[in-house]
Amino acid sequence: MTTDTYLPSRQLDQYLAGAMSPAQTRLTALLALELDTAARSGELVELRTTDLREGNTAVYVERRPQGGGAVEGEWVETSSLTRAALERWLDVREDLVQGPTAPRSCGCRSG
């Protein structure tokens, strides 16, 4: 692990240990995914729950070149930190979607 990813990962790990709002939980999962995949913002936005392998052990990312060209997809293994962050977010997301006062958009596209 490089120094660049160690410090943010350590901070995210500390966040996961405490209480978080739904927005903080979602952001933590997105940041963890970013650290593992190096996906650009447009690639993160396109992710769906169906892009996750069982147990959140990997995520399928479609790489989209900025200048156009062929889209290439790849499975990227996730770290234990990312798996924990995703599990926590998906639980919160399910509660938001199924709750009696569910918002119109929870900020995550389902597959």
Side-chain angles (χ1 to χ4, degrees), residues 65-89:
Q66 285 184 335
V71 175
E72 295 182 18
E74 67 175 322
W75 284 100
V76 179
E77 289 187 38
T78 56
S79 65
S80 58
L81 173 81
T82 299
R83 289 190 296 273
L86 284 170
E87 183 177 326
R88 189 166 178 173
W89 164 242

Side-chain angles (χ1 to χ4, degrees), residues 20 24 44 52 58 62 81 83 97 111:
M20 291 189 291
Q24 290 170 319
L44 284 174
L52 293 170
E62 288 188 347
L81 173 81
R83 289 190 296 273
V97 171

